[in-house]
Amino acid sequence: MKIFLFIILISLSASRLDNLPTGRYFIVWNVGQGLWTSDVTDSSCQHFDFGGEFFPLRKMKNICSDKAQAVHLSHWDWDHIGGLARFSKGLCLAARPLGKSSRKKMKLINSLPICNLELKAK
């Protein structure tokens, strides 16, 4: 019963993404602990970090699937890169974390194609 009430509470408090503005806007995703924000334009989605406890991939795909997508990663913690493991394709790496990390994390980051300069400049 507690889980059911928790799900109802989360559903009622979640913001809807039906009526998004046109042009450029910025999204701060509700991911629990962690960070994930996106700068959205008509042609691209620039994601800053890509992690957290919750992954709004379906919402993000509804907004960004028809746009060029780049991810900028600040550091190696799972709460900043964990969403990459759940994202299949269509994402390029615009900025990687500095330094080295575990083999698993390095493999995840190295599997992403590097963004072209046009996408980074927009």
Side-chain angles (χ1 to χ4, degrees):
M1 183 67 173
K2 288 181 182 179
I3 293 174
F4 176 73
L5 292 175
F6 178 73
I7 292 171
I8 295 295
L9 179 64
I10 294 296
S11 298
L12 293 175
S13 65
S15 60
R16 296 188 47 124
L17 295 175
D18 310 9
N19 301 316
L20 289 171
T22 56
R24 187 175 199 164
Y25 54 95
F26 194 75
I27 299 173
V28 178
W29 298 99
N30 178 10
V31 293
Q33 180 175 336
L35 178 69
W36 182 353
T37 57
S38 299
D39 179 24
V40 180
T41 67
D42 291 336
S43 62
S44 72
C45 288
Q46 302 280 330
H47 304 289
F48 299 90
D49 291 311
F50 214 76
E53 294 173 304
F54 315 113
F55 300 96
L57 291 178
R58 188 174 352 138
K59 290 179 182 179
M60 188 271 305
K61 286 179 182 177
N62 286 341
I63 295 168
C64 298
S65 64
D66 62 339
K67 303 173 189 321
Q69 296 187 64
V71 64
H72 305 256
L73 302 172
S74 64
H75 62 283
W76 290 101
D77 290 352
W78 279 116
D79 66 335
H80 287 255
I81 68 169
L84 294 173
R86 297 181 182 205
F87 197 83
S88 57
K89 57 185 172 180
L91 186 68
C92 66
L93 183 63
R96 62 180 292 126
L98 297 177
K100 294 188 177 197
S101 188
S102 70
R103 283 187 176 171
K104 184 176 182 180
K105 291 177 183 178
M106 296 288 285
K107 183 178 179 181
L108 179 62
I109 298 298
N110 290 334
S111 70
L112 293 173
I114 303 299
C115 297
N116 64 35
L117 294 175
E118 280 184 43
L119 181 57
K120 288 183 10 185
K122 287 184 181 180

